[in-house]
Amino acid sequence: MPRIPLGDYVDDGISWLLVTIPGLLDAISAVMTLLVDSLTDLLTGPPFWVWVLVFTLGSLLVSGYGLAGFTLVAFLLVDALDLWKETMESLAVVLVAAVIATAIGVPLGIWAARRRSVSTVLRPVLDFMQTTPVFVYLIPAVFFFGIGVVPGVAATTIFSIPPAVRLTELGIRGVDPEVVEAAHAFGAHPRQILREVQLPMALPSIMAGVNQVIMLALSMVVVAGLAGAGGLGTVVVSAVTQLDVAAGFEGGLAVVILAIFLDRFTAALARRPNRGLWGTLRRRRVPEEAVEPTPVPVTTGVPAREGV
């Protein structure tokens, strides 16, 4: 069997892209650098207790006292380990990569749900993306963007896209066909059906996809420390290369804390109307609005006279 040099073809393609679109790569690098640096400055600028308070209140609103207590204790522990700056740098990379991956993945999932041919083409591509070893993503990213935070964000974004596509498609395909038929029967436009029927009913599945995007981004951002992405990835990689058990344990613990917080927070957002302080406030407002008397105009057909 003759050897097929697929890797050489990919290498030639990357070299061609480097020569053909250097301006586009520079623009992407500039935008990603700006986004990550701005978010990092926002997260690391104020004293740590400000963001601990914000995270705790946010957890209280969307989930309740359990997640709020965990958030308070966990992030205080992160600061006590002197890993607050590295944790916020990793959080900035995760958020930027997750937002970009969601912005790409959700529209692709909608497209795949509406057209079977698109789903057929995307499925093997997503399988390839999900089964490719994570370190492989760093090679073209470093070729395109060099060493630093940008290749880390690019590799993390590409690695995180598949769950958003799959779960968005699954959620929209799982909408009851009778509901869609009823919307058609009432003369709704396909865009109206998508916006007002399918997307709201598929929201739990879409939010599950966003949750998985964030989890994959966090797992990849640690590996991206090999490309100089900074944050907790650098701490873990440095501990591995120096066989520093203490630094490795502390860096790994900070990653676990960040992962649990992001997982529970995004999962709670999907069921926000019924959970947490936000849900309690909503439930209290609904009865008040329900018993509020609605002024009803009374017409007797006889005009009222003054003094009567």
Side-chain angles (χ1 to χ4, degrees), residues 217-294:
L218 185 58
S219 67
M220 184 65 191
V221 80
V222 176
V223 178
L226 292 170
L232 294 173
T234 301
V235 175
V236 174
V237 171
S238 175
V240 171
T241 55
Q242 299 176 11
L243 297 179
D244 189 341
V245 177
F249 177 79
E250 292 178 355
L253 181 61
V255 172
V256 171
I257 288 173
L258 192 57
I260 293 175
F261 168 71
L262 291 174
D263 177 63
R264 302 298 188 273
F265 191 88
T266 52
L269 279 177
R271 53 179 187 274
R272 187 185 65 178
N274 300 319
R275 294 291 301 273
L277 184 58
W278 182 276
T280 304
L281 294 175
R282 283 173 58 91
R283 286 192 295 273
R284 287 181 178 176
R285 285 186 59 185
V286 169
E288 293 175 0
E289 293 174 356
V291 300
E292 184 178 353
T294 303

Side-chain angles (χ1 to χ4, degrees), residues 122-155:
L122 280 180
R123 192 172 301 125
V125 177
L126 297 176
D127 292 339
F128 178 80
M129 293 173 68
Q130 285 191 296
T131 54
T132 301
V134 294
F135 294 98
V136 176
Y137 287 96
L138 292 178
I139 300 173
V142 170
F143 269 107
F144 285 139
F145 303 109
I147 298 296
V149 69
V150 176
V153 175

Side-chain angles (χ1 to χ4, degrees), residues 58-298:
S59 301
L60 182 63
L61 283 173
V62 301
S63 181
Y65 294 104
L67 181 59
F70 167 80
T71 302
L72 178 63
V73 174
F75 281 106
L76 288 177
L77 177 61
V78 168
D79 182 71
L81 296 175
D82 289 333
L83 291 175
W84 178 260
K85 183 174 181 293
E86 290 80 2
T87 303
M88 292 301 104
E89 289 175 353
S90 293
L91 180 59
V93 173
V94 168
L95 292 179
V96 171
V99 168
I100 297 174
T102 304
I104 296 172
V106 171
L108 283 178
I110 295 172
W111 194 19
R114 296 168 70 87
R115 294 192 180 276
R116 182 69 66 177
S117 59
V118 176
S119 176
T120 304
V121 173
L122 280 180
R123 192 172 301 125
V125 177
L126 297 176
D127 292 339
F128 178 80
M129 293 173 68
Q130 285 191 296
T131 54
T132 301
V134 294
F135 294 98
V136 176
Y137 287 96
L138 292 178
I139 300 173
V142 170
F143 269 107
F144 285 139
F145 303 109
I147 298 296
V149 69
V150 176
V153 175
T156 303
T157 301
I158 296 172
F159 183 67
S160 308
I161 288 176
V165 181
R166 288 187 189 279
L167 289 174
T168 300
E169 179 186 358
L170 180 66
I172 292 178
R173 288 190 185 279
V175 174
D176 190 349
E178 293 184 359
V179 177
V180 179
E181 288 294 331
H184 275 295
F186 280 102
H189 191 272
R191 290 183 180 176
Q192 282 182 304
I193 296 174
L194 174 66
R195 187 177 61 250
E196 300 177 11
V197 177
Q198 291 175 310
L199 285 180
M201 296 185 72
L203 188 59
S205 180
I206 295 174
M207 288 302 298
V210 173
N211 176 276
Q212 291 304 303
V213 165
I214 293 176
M215 291 298 101
L216 286 181
L218 185 58
S219 67
M220 184 65 191
V221 80
V222 176
V223 178
L226 292 170
L232 294 173
T234 301
V235 175
V236 174
V237 171
S238 175
V240 171
T241 55
Q242 299 176 11
L243 297 179
D244 189 341
V245 177
F249 177 79
E250 292 178 355
L253 181 61
V255 172
V256 171
I257 288 173
L258 192 57
I260 293 175
F261 168 71
L262 291 174
D263 177 63
R264 302 298 188 273
F265 191 88
T266 52
L269 279 177
R271 53 179 187 274
R272 187 185 65 178
N274 300 319
R275 294 291 301 273
L277 184 58
W278 182 276
T280 304
L281 294 175
R282 283 173 58 91
R283 286 192 295 273
R284 287 181 178 176
R285 285 186 59 185
V286 169
E288 293 175 0
E289 293 174 356
V291 300
E292 184 178 353
T294 303
V296 178
V298 178

